[in-house]
Amino acid sequence: MRILIVEDEAGIVRFLERGLTAHGHGVLTAGDGEHGAYMAVEEPVDLVLLDISLPGLDGHGVLKRIREKRPGLPVLMLTARDDLRNKVDALDSGADDYLTKPFVFEELLARIRALTRRADQQQSARVCHGDLSMDLLSRRAWRGDSKIELSSREFALLEYFMRHPGQVLSRQQILSAIWDYAFDPGSNVVDVYVRYLRSKIDRPGEPSLISTVRGAGYRFDPGAE
């Protein structure tokens, strides 16, 4: 597992780096919030250890940026402050867990294992591309922090697109997968629902996440923006 440590205290970074490396984890480090937020979003890390008190952008600000771009990335927040308000704020900001410094390293490892198991269990129930995400259990979808209200048919259509990113899907394929009946050349139901979906997931002034491929169908292109 690749773990990102966002912490400005060099002694704690060395302590964590030695321990995690000894247990077979790859480790990346960032000493300030801006760098940490960038690495969490751009680097292929599996979990973030995030200090709340950081120079410049604090841990809450870093967490907000992570959730905008990688809502499913497990984040364990670290702080020397042990008051209830900070714990509540950390969890309300979107942290998956919270650990107060100083801590026993074995407890940290146990928390990491628990978060990893939880992330693995959620993986099959969550589909994410960029800042667009779907939770298949709760039947909810988000673009960044904004919840998207979808009908059951729109939800099924978006899931179908997100499970086939970059592929050109014909109207017949889409109709068979979502509506479960043979393609009627005179029907425009697919085009109508793609239009509905675009109006809900696209942002004004930005390219659509669903491209029309003339004469072939549609392609979900999460890199379009």
Side-chain angles (χ1 to χ4, degrees):
M1 184 191 305
R2 299 189 74 193
I3 298 176
L4 171 63
I5 303 169
V6 187
E7 167 67 66
D8 63 322
E9 295 185 38
I12 294 176
V13 173
R14 287 194 297 271
F15 165 71
L16 292 172
E17 197 168 13
R18 283 197 302 269
L20 292 171
T21 301
H23 283 80
H25 298 295
V27 176
L28 301 175
T29 64
D32 63 77
E34 290 287 348
H35 190 204
Y38 174 81
M39 293 183 70
V41 170
E42 299 297 332
E43 295 287 340
V45 297
D46 303 300
L47 183 140
V48 179
L49 300 180
L50 176 62
D51 187 31
I52 288 182
S53 299
L54 292 166
L57 186 67
D58 69 7
H60 295 297
V62 174
L63 183 58
K64 184 174 186 297
R65 293 191 188 179
I66 292 173
R67 288 295 173 249
E68 288 173 353
K69 298 294 185 181
R70 299 188 62 184
L73 180 64
V75 177
L76 173 61
M77 295 195 83
L78 307 173
T79 182
R81 294 172 290 187
D82 194 21
D83 62 285
L84 179 61
R85 183 70 262 163
N86 278 298
K87 291 182 179 181
V88 171
D89 287 346
L91 296 173
D92 283 348
S93 297
D96 296 285
D97 203 353
Y98 182 103
L99 195 58
T100 303
K101 298 181 287 188
F103 50 82
V104 178
F105 190 74
E106 284 71 19
E107 181 182 3
L108 174 65
L109 290 176
R111 300 285 185 98
I112 289 173
R113 287 194 296 269
L115 287 181
T116 303
R117 284 196 301 271
R118 192 185 311 167
D120 288 343
Q121 290 166 357
Q122 292 174 346
Q123 188 66 33
S124 60
R126 184 176 285 269
V127 185
C128 301
H129 285 291
D131 64 350
L132 183 63
S133 61
M134 304 180 72
D135 188 312
L136 305 183
L137 295 180
S138 66
R139 308 293 290 178
R140 293 175 179 170
W142 297 266
R143 184 89 194 264
D145 290 331
S146 301
K147 185 180 175 183
I148 305 169
E149 297 293 342
L150 299 172
S151 69
S152 58
R153 197 75 74 179
E154 291 165 348
F155 191 93
L157 181 58
L158 180 58
E159 180 187 353
Y160 187 62
F161 275 126
M162 290 184 70
R163 290 197 181 280
H164 300 85
Q167 297 181 30
V168 176
L169 302 172
S170 70
R171 289 171 177 81
Q172 183 172 359
Q173 285 177 293
I174 297 170
L175 199 64
S176 297
I178 307 303
W179 280 268
D180 239 359
Y181 56 80
F183 181 65
D184 174 5
S187 172
N188 68 340
V189 66
V190 172
D191 307 279
V192 169
Y193 271 84
V194 167
R195 187 164 64 248
Y196 290 162
L197 201 53
R198 281 172 170 163
S199 70
K200 295 185 176 184
I201 69 173
D202 290 342
R203 289 179 174 145
E206 295 183 0
S208 177
L209 297 181
I210 302 173
S211 305
T212 300
V213 181
R214 191 174 297 277
Y218 294 101
R219 180 178 58 235
F220 174 68
D221 185 4
E225 57 183 341

